[in-house]
Structure formats: C-alpha cells, structure tokens
PDB file of all heavy atoms in Angstrom:
ATOM      1  N   THR A 181     -28.720 194.867  75.004  1.00  0.00           N
ATOM      2  CA  THR A 181     -29.853 195.502  74.286  1.00  0.00           C
ATOM      3  C   THR A 181     -31.101 195.432  75.140  1.00  0.00           C
ATOM      4  O   THR A 181     -31.426 194.400  75.759  1.00  0.00           O
ATOM      5  CB  THR A 181     -30.129 194.762  72.964  1.00  0.00           C
ATOM      6  OG1 THR A 181     -28.938 194.797  72.191  1.00  0.00           O
ATOM      7  CG2 THR A 181     -31.254 195.400  72.201  1.00  0.00           C
ATOM      8  N   SER A 182     -31.828 196.541  75.248  1.00  0.00           N
ATOM      9  CA  SER A 182     -33.059 196.504  76.026  1.00  0.00           C
ATOM     10  C   SER A 182     -34.148 195.839  75.200  1.00  0.00           C
ATOM     11  O   SER A 182     -34.157 195.824  73.959  1.00  0.00           O
ATOM     12  CB  SER A 182     -33.507 197.930  76.405  1.00  0.00           C
ATOM     13  OG  SER A 182     -34.072 198.582  75.277  1.00  0.00           O
ATOM     14  N   LEU A 183     -35.108 195.255  75.941  1.00  0.00           N
ATOM     15  CA  LEU A 183     -36.229 194.576  75.291  1.00  0.00           C
ATOM     16  C   LEU A 183     -37.002 195.555  74.436  1.00  0.00           C
ATOM     17  O   LEU A 183     -37.580 195.189  73.382  1.00  0.00           O
ATOM     18  CB  LEU A 183     -37.101 193.882  76.290  1.00  0.00           C
ATOM     19  CG  LEU A 183     -36.458 192.761  77.107  1.00  0.00           C
ATOM     20  CD1 LEU A 183     -37.419 192.252  78.161  1.00  0.00           C
ATOM     21  CD2 LEU A 183     -35.934 191.646  76.217  1.00  0.00           C
ATOM     22  N   ALA A 184     -37.032 196.813  74.834  1.00  0.00           N
ATOM     23  CA  ALA A 184     -37.756 197.839  74.083  1.00  0.00           C
ATOM     24  C   ALA A 184     -37.176 198.035  72.683  1.00  0.00           C
ATOM     25  O   ALA A 184     -37.891 198.502  71.755  1.00  0.00           O
ATOM     26  CB  ALA A 184     -37.755 199.167  74.881  1.00  0.00           C
ATOM     27  N   GLU A 185     -35.893 197.727  72.527  1.00  0.00           N
ATOM     28  CA  GLU A 185     -35.257 197.894  71.223  1.00  0.00           C
ATOM     29  C   GLU A 185     -35.515 196.768  70.242  1.00  0.00           C
ATOM     30  O   GLU A 185     -35.212 196.877  69.057  1.00  0.00           O
ATOM     31  CB  GLU A 185     -33.739 198.069  71.431  1.00  0.00           C
ATOM     32  CG  GLU A 185     -33.305 199.304  72.180  1.00  0.00           C
ATOM     33  CD  GLU A 185     -31.821 199.324  72.416  1.00  0.00           C
ATOM     34  OE1 GLU A 185     -31.103 199.489  71.412  1.00  0.00           O
ATOM     35  OE2 GLU A 185     -31.401 199.112  73.545  1.00  0.00           O
ATOM     36  N   LEU A 186     -36.059 195.689  70.744  1.00  0.00           N
ATOM     37  CA  LEU A 186     -36.320 194.526  69.901  1.00  0.00           C
ATOM     38  C   LEU A 186     -37.675 194.655  69.249  1.00  0.00           C
ATOM     39  O   LEU A 186     -38.572 195.343  69.724  1.00  0.00           O
ATOM     40  CB  LEU A 186     -36.281 193.244  70.760  1.00  0.00           C
ATOM     41  CG  LEU A 186     -34.978 192.957  71.499  1.00  0.00           C
ATOM     42  CD1 LEU A 186     -35.167 191.675  72.341  1.00  0.00           C
ATOM     43  CD2 LEU A 186     -33.834 192.836  70.534  1.00  0.00           C
ATOM     44  N   GLU A 187     -37.826 193.929  68.166  1.00  0.00           N
ATOM     45  CA  GLU A 187     -39.131 193.880  67.469  1.00  0.00           C
ATOM     46  C   GLU A 187     -39.850 192.659  68.011  1.00  0.00           C
ATOM     47  O   GLU A 187     -39.841 191.565  67.458  1.00  0.00           O
ATOM     48  CB  GLU A 187     -38.937 193.783  65.988  1.00  0.00           C
ATOM     49  CG  GLU A 187     -38.296 195.040  65.373  1.00  0.00           C
ATOM     50  CD  GLU A 187     -38.083 194.918  63.873  1.00  0.00           C
ATOM     51  OE1 GLU A 187     -38.818 194.190  63.221  1.00  0.00           O
ATOM     52  OE2 GLU A 187     -37.163 195.600  63.413  1.00  0.00           O
ATOM     53  N   LEU A 188     -40.534 192.874  69.169  1.00  0.00           N
ATOM     54  CA  LEU A 188     -41.227 191.786  69.859  1.00  0.00           C
ATOM     55  C   LEU A 188     -42.623 191.595  69.225  1.00  0.00           C
ATOM     56  O   LEU A 188     -43.229 192.513  68.735  1.00  0.00           O
ATOM     57  CB  LEU A 188     -41.338 192.114  71.301  1.00  0.00           C
ATOM     58  CG  LEU A 188     -40.071 192.327  72.069  1.00  0.00           C
ATOM     59  CD1 LEU A 188     -40.346 192.728  73.530  1.00  0.00           C
ATOM     60  CD2 LEU A 188     -39.228 191.049  72.042  1.00  0.00           C
ATOM     61  N   VAL A 189     -43.066 190.356  69.289  1.00  0.00           N
ATOM     62  CA  VAL A 189     -44.391 189.990  68.809  1.00  0.00           C
ATOM     63  C   VAL A 189     -45.415 190.509  69.828  1.00  0.00           C
ATOM     64  O   VAL A 189     -45.280 190.203  71.041  1.00  0.00           O
ATOM     65  CB  VAL A 189     -44.501 188.470  68.650  1.00  0.00           C
ATOM     66  CG1 VAL A 189     -45.948 188.088  68.229  1.00  0.00           C
ATOM     67  CG2 VAL A 189     -43.516 187.990  67.629  1.00  0.00           C
ATOM     68  N   PRO A 190     -46.435 191.260  69.403  1.00  0.00           N
ATOM     69  CA  PRO A 190     -47.444 191.706  70.348  1.00  0.00           C
ATOM     70  C   PRO A 190     -48.117 190.507  70.976  1.00  0.00           C
ATOM     71  O   PRO A 190     -48.317 189.470  70.339  1.00  0.00           O
ATOM     72  CB  PRO A 190     -48.407 192.470  69.509  1.00  0.00           C
ATOM     73  CG  PRO A 190     -47.671 192.869  68.263  1.00  0.00           C
ATOM     74  CD  PRO A 190     -46.679 191.763  68.043  1.00  0.00           C
ATOM     75  N   ALA A 191     -48.552 190.668  72.211  1.00  0.00           N
ATOM     76  CA  ALA A 191     -49.235 189.563  72.928  1.00  0.00           C
ATOM     77  C   ALA A 191     -50.569 189.250  72.253  1.00  0.00           C
ATOM     78  O   ALA A 191     -51.268 190.145  71.753  1.00  0.00           O
ATOM     79  CB  ALA A 191     -49.487 189.991  74.383  1.00  0.00           C
ATOM     80  N   VAL A 192     -50.852 187.948  72.182  1.00  0.00           N
ATOM     81  CA  VAL A 192     -52.156 187.530  71.689  1.00  0.00           C
ATOM     82  C   VAL A 192     -53.004 187.233  72.877  1.00  0.00           C
ATOM     83  O   VAL A 192     -52.547 186.546  73.843  1.00  0.00           O
ATOM     84  CB  VAL A 192     -52.002 186.234  70.806  1.00  0.00           C
ATOM     85  CG1 VAL A 192     -53.333 185.724  70.357  1.00  0.00           C
ATOM     86  CG2 VAL A 192     -51.077 186.531  69.631  1.00  0.00           C
ATOM     87  N   VAL A 193     -54.210 187.782  72.922  1.00  0.00           N
ATOM     88  CA  VAL A 193     -55.077 187.698  74.102  1.00  0.00           C
ATOM     89  C   VAL A 193     -56.332 186.947  73.742  1.00  0.00           C
ATOM     90  O   VAL A 193     -56.990 187.251  72.739  1.00  0.00           O
ATOM     91  CB  VAL A 193     -55.405 189.075  74.658  1.00  0.00           C
ATOM     92  CG1 VAL A 193     -56.260 188.979  75.902  1.00  0.00           C
ATOM     93  CG2 VAL A 193     -54.135 189.874  74.947  1.00  0.00           C
ATOM     94  N   ALA A 194     -56.694 185.987  74.548  1.00  0.00           N
ATOM     95  CA  ALA A 194     -57.923 185.238  74.436  1.00  0.00           C
ATOM     96  C   ALA A 194     -58.880 185.706  75.509  1.00  0.00           C
ATOM     97  O   ALA A 194     -58.478 186.205  76.575  1.00  0.00           O
ATOM     98  CB  ALA A 194     -57.669 183.734  74.558  1.00  0.00           C
ATOM     99  N   ALA A 195     -60.185 185.498  75.272  1.00  0.00           N
ATOM    100  CA  ALA A 195     -61.200 185.853  76.266  1.00  0.00           C
ATOM    101  C   ALA A 195     -61.037 184.986  77.492  1.00  0.00           C
ATOM    102  O   ALA A 195     -60.515 183.882  77.438  1.00  0.00           O
ATOM    103  CB  ALA A 195     -62.594 185.677  75.668  1.00  0.00           C
ATOM    104  N   ASP A 196     -61.558 185.446  78.618  1.00  0.00           N
ATOM    105  CA  ASP A 196     -61.531 184.652  79.855  1.00  0.00           C
ATOM    106  C   ASP A 196     -62.122 183.274  79.715  1.00  0.00           C
ATOM    107  O   ASP A 196     -61.714 182.333  80.349  1.00  0.00           O
ATOM    108  CB  ASP A 196     -62.276 185.409  80.992  1.00  0.00           C
ATOM    109  CG  ASP A 196     -61.511 186.575  81.575  1.00  0.00           C
ATOM    110  OD1 ASP A 196     -60.263 186.471  81.647  1.00  0.00           O
ATOM    111  OD2 ASP A 196     -62.129 187.560  81.926  1.00  0.00           O
ATOM    112  N   ASP A 197     -63.166 183.184  78.892  1.00  0.00           N
ATOM    113  CA  ASP A 197     -63.901 181.891  78.739  1.00  0.00           C
ATOM    114  C   ASP A 197     -63.470 181.123  77.513  1.00  0.00           C
ATOM    115  O   ASP A 197     -64.148 180.147  77.094  1.00  0.00           O
ATOM    116  CB  ASP A 197     -65.382 182.154  78.710  1.00  0.00           C
ATOM    117  CG  ASP A 197     -65.844 183.036  77.540  1.00  0.00           C
ATOM    118  OD1 ASP A 197     -64.964 183.648  76.870  1.00  0.00           O
ATOM    119  OD2 ASP A 197     -67.031 183.156  77.342  1.00  0.00           O
ATOM    120  N   ALA A 198     -62.285 181.438  76.906  1.00  0.00           N
ATOM    121  CA  ALA A 198     -61.818 180.731  75.727  1.00  0.00           C
ATOM    122  C   ALA A 198     -61.595 179.261  76.036  1.00  0.00           C
ATOM    123  O   ALA A 198     -61.164 178.909  77.187  1.00  0.00           O
ATOM    124  CB  ALA A 198     -60.550 181.349  75.216  1.00  0.00           C
ATOM    125  N   THR A 199     -61.838 178.411  75.092  1.00  0.00           N
ATOM    126  CA  THR A 199     -61.621 176.967  75.233  1.00  0.00           C
ATOM    127  C   THR A 199     -60.176 176.594  74.848  1.00  0.00           C
ATOM    128  O   THR A 199     -59.487 177.391  74.219  1.00  0.00           O
ATOM    129  CB  THR A 199     -62.584 176.144  74.393  1.00  0.00           C
ATOM    130  OG1 THR A 199     -62.283 176.395  73.011  1.00  0.00           O
ATOM    131  CG2 THR A 199     -64.034 176.481  74.705  1.00  0.00           C
ATOM    132  N   LEU A 200     -59.806 175.409  75.185  1.00  0.00           N
ATOM    133  CA  LEU A 200     -58.475 174.891  74.772  1.00  0.00           C
ATOM    134  C   LEU A 200     -58.378 174.935  73.278  1.00  0.00           C
ATOM    135  O   LEU A 200     -57.324 175.304  72.701  1.00  0.00           O
ATOM    136  CB  LEU A 200     -58.252 173.480  75.344  1.00  0.00           C
ATOM    137  CG  LEU A 200     -58.032 173.399  76.813  1.00  0.00           C
ATOM    138  CD1 LEU A 200     -58.100 171.973  77.274  1.00  0.00           C
ATOM    139  CD2 LEU A 200     -56.684 173.966  77.219  1.00  0.00           C
ATOM    140  N   ARG A 201     -59.414 174.537  72.564  1.00  0.00           N
ATOM    141  CA  ARG A 201     -59.410 174.574  71.110  1.00  0.00           C
ATOM    142  C   ARG A 201     -59.218 175.985  70.588  1.00  0.00           C
ATOM    143  O   ARG A 201     -58.483 176.208  69.674  1.00  0.00           O
ATOM    144  CB  ARG A 201     -60.733 174.008  70.563  1.00  0.00           C
ATOM    145  CG  ARG A 201     -60.798 173.967  69.040  1.00  0.00           C
ATOM    146  CD  ARG A 201     -62.174 173.657  68.503  1.00  0.00           C
ATOM    147  NE  ARG A 201     -62.876 172.560  69.170  1.00  0.00           N
ATOM    148  CZ  ARG A 201     -62.767 171.253  68.790  1.00  0.00           C
ATOM    149  NH1 ARG A 201     -61.966 170.933  67.750  1.00  0.00           N
ATOM    150  NH2 ARG A 201     -63.395 170.328  69.438  1.00  0.00           N
ATOM    151  N   GLU A 202     -59.874 176.952  71.214  1.00  0.00           N
ATOM    152  CA  GLU A 202     -59.791 178.349  70.737  1.00  0.00           C
ATOM    153  C   GLU A 202     -58.388 178.877  70.986  1.00  0.00           C
ATOM    154  O   GLU A 202     -57.797 179.570  70.091  1.00  0.00           O
ATOM    155  CB  GLU A 202     -60.850 179.231  71.426  1.00  0.00           C
ATOM    156  CG  GLU A 202     -62.238 178.925  71.005  1.00  0.00           C
ATOM    157  CD  GLU A 202     -63.306 179.569  71.842  1.00  0.00           C
ATOM    158  OE1 GLU A 202     -63.063 179.839  73.038  1.00  0.00           O
ATOM    159  OE2 GLU A 202     -64.395 179.789  71.296  1.00  0.00           O
ATOM    160  N   VAL A 203     -57.752 178.630  72.148  1.00  0.00           N
ATOM    161  CA  VAL A 203     -56.420 179.146  72.370  1.00  0.00           C
ATOM    162  C   VAL A 203     -55.441 178.436  71.445  1.00  0.00           C
ATOM    163  O   VAL A 203     -54.498 179.110  70.942  1.00  0.00           O
ATOM    164  CB  VAL A 203     -55.974 179.104  73.839  1.00  0.00           C
ATOM    165  CG1 VAL A 203     -56.876 179.944  74.704  1.00  0.00           C
ATOM    166  CG2 VAL A 203     -55.898 177.694  74.391  1.00  0.00           C
ATOM    167  N   ALA A 204     -55.620 177.148  71.206  1.00  0.00           N
ATOM    168  CA  ALA A 204     -54.707 176.464  70.280  1.00  0.00           C
ATOM    169  C   ALA A 204     -54.839 177.074  68.884  1.00  0.00           C
ATOM    170  O   ALA A 204     -53.862 177.269  68.161  1.00  0.00           O
ATOM    171  CB  ALA A 204     -55.059 174.979  70.235  1.00  0.00           C
ATOM    172  N   GLY A 205     -56.080 177.385  68.466  1.00  0.00           N
ATOM    173  CA  GLY A 205     -56.320 178.022  67.150  1.00  0.00           C
ATOM    174  C   GLY A 205     -55.651 179.394  67.064  1.00  0.00           C
ATOM    175  O   GLY A 205     -55.111 179.745  66.030  1.00  0.00           O
ATOM    176  N   LEU A 206     -55.755 180.151  68.188  1.00  0.00           N
ATOM    177  CA  LEU A 206     -55.085 181.463  68.163  1.00  0.00           C
ATOM    178  C   LEU A 206     -53.574 181.315  68.069  1.00  0.00           C
ATOM    179  O   LEU A 206     -52.920 182.104  67.354  1.00  0.00           O
ATOM    180  CB  LEU A 206     -55.435 182.192  69.495  1.00  0.00           C
ATOM    181  CG  LEU A 206     -56.755 182.876  69.599  1.00  0.00           C
ATOM    182  CD1 LEU A 206     -57.030 183.379  71.015  1.00  0.00           C
ATOM    183  CD2 LEU A 206     -56.871 184.036  68.619  1.00  0.00           C
ATOM    184  N   MET A 207     -53.008 180.309  68.743  1.00  0.00           N
ATOM    185  CA  MET A 207     -51.559 180.127  68.646  1.00  0.00           C
ATOM    186  C   MET A 207     -51.134 179.818  67.226  1.00  0.00           C
ATOM    187  O   MET A 207     -50.202 180.384  66.714  1.00  0.00           O
ATOM    188  CB  MET A 207     -51.168 178.980  69.570  1.00  0.00           C
ATOM    189  CG  MET A 207     -51.203 179.308  71.013  1.00  0.00           C
ATOM    190  SD  MET A 207     -50.730 177.853  72.041  1.00  0.00           S
ATOM    191  CE  MET A 207     -51.377 178.353  73.622  1.00  0.00           C
ATOM    192  N   VAL A 208     -51.916 178.898  66.589  1.00  0.00           N
ATOM    193  CA  VAL A 208     -51.594 178.505  65.209  1.00  0.00           C
ATOM    194  C   VAL A 208     -51.730 179.722  64.253  1.00  0.00           C
ATOM    195  O   VAL A 208     -50.831 179.999  63.454  1.00  0.00           O
ATOM    196  CB  VAL A 208     -52.439 177.323  64.741  1.00  0.00           C
ATOM    197  CG1 VAL A 208     -52.283 177.079  63.251  1.00  0.00           C
ATOM    198  CG2 VAL A 208     -52.075 176.098  65.522  1.00  0.00           C
ATOM    199  N   ALA A 209     -52.855 180.402  64.366  1.00  0.00           N
ATOM    200  CA  ALA A 209     -53.133 181.518  63.448  1.00  0.00           C
ATOM    201  C   ALA A 209     -52.153 182.661  63.660  1.00  0.00           C
ATOM    202  O   ALA A 209     -51.812 183.365  62.695  1.00  0.00           O
ATOM    203  CB  ALA A 209     -54.573 182.019  63.708  1.00  0.00           C
ATOM    204  N   SER A 210     -51.693 182.884  64.861  1.00  0.00           N
ATOM    205  CA  SER A 210     -50.798 183.993  65.170  1.00  0.00           C
ATOM    206  C   SER A 210     -49.323 183.619  65.132  1.00  0.00           C
ATOM    207  O   SER A 210     -48.461 184.480  65.231  1.00  0.00           O
ATOM    208  CB  SER A 210     -51.097 184.547  66.558  1.00  0.00           C
ATOM    209  OG  SER A 210     -52.474 184.933  66.647  1.00  0.00           O
ATOM    210  N   GLY A 211     -49.023 182.348  65.041  1.00  0.00           N
ATOM    211  CA  GLY A 211     -47.614 181.860  65.042  1.00  0.00           C
ATOM    212  C   GLY A 211     -46.919 182.105  66.346  1.00  0.00           C
ATOM    213  O   GLY A 211     -45.696 182.442  66.360  1.00  0.00           O
ATOM    214  N   VAL A 212     -47.649 181.944  67.462  1.00  0.00           N
ATOM    215  CA  VAL A 212     -47.057 182.148  68.791  1.00  0.00           C
ATOM    216  C   VAL A 212     -47.189 180.846  69.577  1.00  0.00           C
ATOM    217  O   VAL A 212     -47.942 179.946  69.193  1.00  0.00           O
ATOM    218  CB  VAL A 212     -47.758 183.310  69.561  1.00  0.00           C
ATOM    219  CG1 VAL A 212     -47.521 184.613  68.837  1.00  0.00           C
ATOM    220  CG2 VAL A 212     -49.237 183.060  69.793  1.00  0.00           C
ATOM    221  N   SER A 213     -46.408 180.784  70.684  1.00  0.00           N
ATOM    222  CA  SER A 213     -46.458 179.531  71.468  1.00  0.00           C
ATOM    223  C   SER A 213     -47.127 179.754  72.820  1.00  0.00           C
ATOM    224  O   SER A 213     -47.163 178.853  73.652  1.00  0.00           O
ATOM    225  CB  SER A 213     -45.040 178.983  71.698  1.00  0.00           C
ATOM    226  OG  SER A 213     -44.249 180.002  72.407  1.00  0.00           O
ATOM    227  N   ALA A 214     -47.666 180.970  73.036  1.00  0.00           N
ATOM    228  CA  ALA A 214     -48.356 181.231  74.285  1.00  0.00           C
ATOM    229  C   ALA A 214     -49.373 182.338  74.028  1.00  0.00           C
ATOM    230  O   ALA A 214     -49.241 183.188  73.147  1.00  0.00           O
ATOM    231  CB  ALA A 214     -47.378 181.725  75.340  1.00  0.00           C
ATOM    232  N   VAL A 215     -50.475 182.264  74.806  1.00  0.00           N
ATOM    233  CA  VAL A 215     -51.568 183.218  74.662  1.00  0.00           C
ATOM    234  C   VAL A 215     -51.940 183.715  76.084  1.00  0.00           C
ATOM    235  O   VAL A 215     -52.012 182.884  77.015  1.00  0.00           O
ATOM    236  CB  VAL A 215     -52.798 182.545  74.004  1.00  0.00           C
ATOM    237  CG1 VAL A 215     -54.032 183.456  74.067  1.00  0.00           C
ATOM    238  CG2 VAL A 215     -52.481 182.149  72.560  1.00  0.00           C
ATOM    239  N   LEU A 216     -52.157 184.987  76.230  1.00  0.00           N
ATOM    240  CA  LEU A 216     -52.699 185.537  77.468  1.00  0.00           C
ATOM    241  C   LEU A 216     -54.192 185.219  77.523  1.00  0.00           C
ATOM    242  O   LEU A 216     -54.906 185.386  76.512  1.00  0.00           O
ATOM    243  CB  LEU A 216     -52.427 187.004  77.592  1.00  0.00           C
ATOM    244  CG  LEU A 216     -50.967 187.438  77.589  1.00  0.00           C
ATOM    245  CD1 LEU A 216     -50.853 188.955  77.646  1.00  0.00           C
ATOM    246  CD2 LEU A 216     -50.229 186.839  78.752  1.00  0.00           C
ATOM    247  N   VAL A 217     -54.681 184.785  78.689  1.00  0.00           N
ATOM    248  CA  VAL A 217     -56.084 184.532  78.869  1.00  0.00           C
ATOM    249  C   VAL A 217     -56.670 185.602  79.751  1.00  0.00           C
ATOM    250  O   VAL A 217     -56.215 185.794  80.859  1.00  0.00           O
ATOM    251  CB  VAL A 217     -56.326 183.146  79.475  1.00  0.00           C
ATOM    252  CG1 VAL A 217     -57.794 182.872  79.641  1.00  0.00           C
ATOM    253  CG2 VAL A 217     -55.667 182.050  78.612  1.00  0.00           C
ATOM    254  N   GLY A 218     -57.628 186.361  79.180  1.00  0.00           N
ATOM    255  CA  GLY A 218     -58.227 187.447  79.946  1.00  0.00           C
ATOM    256  C   GLY A 218     -57.266 188.591  80.281  1.00  0.00           C
ATOM    257  O   GLY A 218     -57.141 189.012  81.418  1.00  0.00           O
ATOM    258  N   GLY A 219     -56.527 189.067  79.291  1.00  0.00           N
ATOM    259  CA  GLY A 219     -55.560 190.112  79.491  1.00  0.00           C
ATOM    260  C   GLY A 219     -54.275 189.463  80.008  1.00  0.00           C
ATOM    261  O   GLY A 219     -53.924 188.382  79.624  1.00  0.00           O
ATOM    262  N   ALA A 220     -53.601 190.169  80.941  1.00  0.00           N
ATOM    263  CA  ALA A 220     -52.364 189.690  81.476  1.00  0.00           C
ATOM    264  C   ALA A 220     -52.566 188.900  82.791  1.00  0.00           C
ATOM    265  O   ALA A 220     -51.628 188.693  83.549  1.00  0.00           O
ATOM    266  CB  ALA A 220     -51.378 190.773  81.725  1.00  0.00           C
ATOM    267  N   HIS A 221     -53.810 188.423  82.992  1.00  0.00           N
ATOM    268  CA  HIS A 221     -54.108 187.696  84.253  1.00  0.00           C
ATOM    269  C   HIS A 221     -53.554 186.300  84.280  1.00  0.00           C
ATOM    270  O   HIS A 221     -53.224 185.760  85.320  1.00  0.00           O
ATOM    271  CB  HIS A 221     -55.601 187.671  84.506  1.00  0.00           C
ATOM    272  CG  HIS A 221     -56.192 189.034  84.595  1.00  0.00           C
ATOM    273  ND1 HIS A 221     -55.876 189.923  85.573  1.00  0.00           N
ATOM    274  CD2 HIS A 221     -57.055 189.672  83.754  1.00  0.00           C
ATOM    275  CE1 HIS A 221     -56.549 191.059  85.372  1.00  0.00           C
ATOM    276  NE2 HIS A 221     -57.253 190.936  84.276  1.00  0.00           N
ATOM    277  N   SER A 222     -53.450 185.661  83.112  1.00  0.00           N
ATOM    278  CA  SER A 222     -52.856 184.324  83.045  1.00  0.00           C
ATOM    279  C   SER A 222     -52.348 184.073  81.644  1.00  0.00           C
ATOM    280  O   SER A 222     -52.682 184.755  80.695  1.00  0.00           O
ATOM    281  CB  SER A 222     -53.928 183.248  83.439  1.00  0.00           C
ATOM    282  OG  SER A 222     -54.972 183.278  82.575  1.00  0.00           O
ATOM    283  N   ILE A 223     -51.504 183.066  81.543  1.00  0.00           N
ATOM    284  CA  ILE A 223     -50.885 182.706  80.277  1.00  0.00           C
ATOM    285  C   ILE A 223     -50.989 181.195  80.105  1.00  0.00           C
ATOM    286  O   ILE A 223     -50.806 180.418  81.052  1.00  0.00           O
ATOM    287  CB  ILE A 223     -49.382 183.135  80.237  1.00  0.00           C
ATOM    288  CG1 ILE A 223     -48.818 182.938  78.847  1.00  0.00           C
ATOM    289  CG2 ILE A 223     -48.556 182.453  81.302  1.00  0.00           C
ATOM    290  CD1 ILE A 223     -47.430 183.640  78.633  1.00  0.00           C
ATOM    291  N   ILE A 224     -51.323 180.771  78.886  1.00  0.00           N
ATOM    292  CA  ILE A 224     -51.354 179.346  78.560  1.00  0.00           C
ATOM    293  C   ILE A 224     -50.418 179.144  77.412  1.00  0.00           C
ATOM    294  O   ILE A 224     -50.370 179.899  76.446  1.00  0.00           O
ATOM    295  CB  ILE A 224     -52.770 178.879  78.277  1.00  0.00           C
ATOM    296  CG1 ILE A 224     -52.839 177.378  78.162  1.00  0.00           C
ATOM    297  CG2 ILE A 224     -53.376 179.570  77.059  1.00  0.00           C
ATOM    298  CD1 ILE A 224     -54.184 176.740  78.250  1.00  0.00           C
ATOM    299  N   THR A 225     -49.637 178.105  77.490  1.00  0.00           N
ATOM    300  CA  THR A 225     -48.610 177.777  76.505  1.00  0.00           C
ATOM    301  C   THR A 225     -49.006 176.510  75.725  1.00  0.00           C
ATOM    302  O   THR A 225     -49.902 175.741  76.088  1.00  0.00           O
ATOM    303  CB  THR A 225     -47.246 177.591  77.148  1.00  0.00           C
ATOM    304  OG1 THR A 225     -47.269 176.398  77.938  1.00  0.00           O
ATOM    305  CG2 THR A 225     -46.839 178.757  78.018  1.00  0.00           C
ATOM    306  N   GLU A 226     -48.268 176.261  74.634  1.00  0.00           N
ATOM    307  CA  GLU A 226     -48.456 175.042  73.893  1.00  0.00           C
ATOM    308  C   GLU A 226     -48.327 173.835  74.785  1.00  0.00           C
ATOM    309  O   GLU A 226     -49.104 172.841  74.706  1.00  0.00           O
ATOM    310  CB  GLU A 226     -47.439 174.917  72.763  1.00  0.00           C
ATOM    311  CG  GLU A 226     -47.620 175.910  71.624  1.00  0.00           C
ATOM    312  CD  GLU A 226     -46.444 175.876  70.704  1.00  0.00           C
ATOM    313  OE1 GLU A 226     -45.334 175.647  71.100  1.00  0.00           O
ATOM    314  OE2 GLU A 226     -46.701 176.136  69.481  1.00  0.00           O
ATOM    315  N   ARG A 227     -47.301 173.851  75.661  1.00  0.00           N
ATOM    316  CA  ARG A 227     -47.074 172.762  76.561  1.00  0.00           C
ATOM    317  C   ARG A 227     -48.274 172.536  77.512  1.00  0.00           C
ATOM    318  O   ARG A 227     -48.637 171.403  77.772  1.00  0.00           O
ATOM    319  CB  ARG A 227     -45.825 172.997  77.389  1.00  0.00           C
ATOM    320  CG  ARG A 227     -44.574 172.971  76.527  1.00  0.00           C
ATOM    321  CD  ARG A 227     -43.371 173.279  77.383  1.00  0.00           C
ATOM    322  NE  ARG A 227     -42.970 172.070  78.080  1.00  0.00           N
ATOM    323  CZ  ARG A 227     -42.017 172.018  78.984  1.00  0.00           C
ATOM    324  NH1 ARG A 227     -41.373 173.101  79.330  1.00  0.00           N
ATOM    325  NH2 ARG A 227     -41.687 170.869  79.558  1.00  0.00           N
ATOM    326  N   ASP A 228     -48.916 173.598  77.984  1.00  0.00           N
ATOM    327  CA  ASP A 228     -50.084 173.476  78.864  1.00  0.00           C
ATOM    328  C   ASP A 228     -51.232 172.788  78.074  1.00  0.00           C
ATOM    329  O   ASP A 228     -51.913 171.910  78.639  1.00  0.00           O
ATOM    330  CB  ASP A 228     -50.542 174.865  79.325  1.00  0.00           C
ATOM    331  CG  ASP A 228     -49.552 175.571  80.164  1.00  0.00           C
ATOM    332  OD1 ASP A 228     -48.838 174.896  80.982  1.00  0.00           O
ATOM    333  OD2 ASP A 228     -49.469 176.812  80.086  1.00  0.00           O
TER     334      ASP A 228
END
C-alpha cells in the first residue's frame, strides 16, 4: 500500500522559536509524538 492511500495524521508545526514546553504542549494537544519546528526544517520528538 502506498503512503498516499493511508489516512496519515497531518504534520504539526511549531514556530522556529517555540520552547520545549510549547512543543510538548502541541504534542499532547494534537496526540502526536513529534512536531516539526519551523516547517520541515527540523523535527523534535517526545524522546528529544
């Protein structure tokens, strides 16, 4: 199955200057384990 055929969760994006608290809050509010920081330039995960 191609990834395009799946119902993927849209990426959650935080601002370039988001804090650790803000990205953690976005993860909790969105039910995701990773957030893009500043678009697709970087990714921060729960583990990070």
Side-chain angles (χ1 to χ4, degrees):
T181 302
S182 75
L183 298 176
E185 295 176 69
L186 301 177
E187 294 179 27
L188 301 175
V189 175
V192 177
V193 181
D196 284 326
D197 61 349
T199 65
L200 289 167
R201 180 190 314 272
E202 290 168 334
V203 297
L206 281 172
M207 288 178 198
V208 170
S210 304
V212 298
S213 61
V215 171
L216 297 177
V217 180
H221 302 294
S222 61
I223 188 170
I224 188 163
T225 67
E226 291 172 325
R227 294 177 79 187
D228 297 325

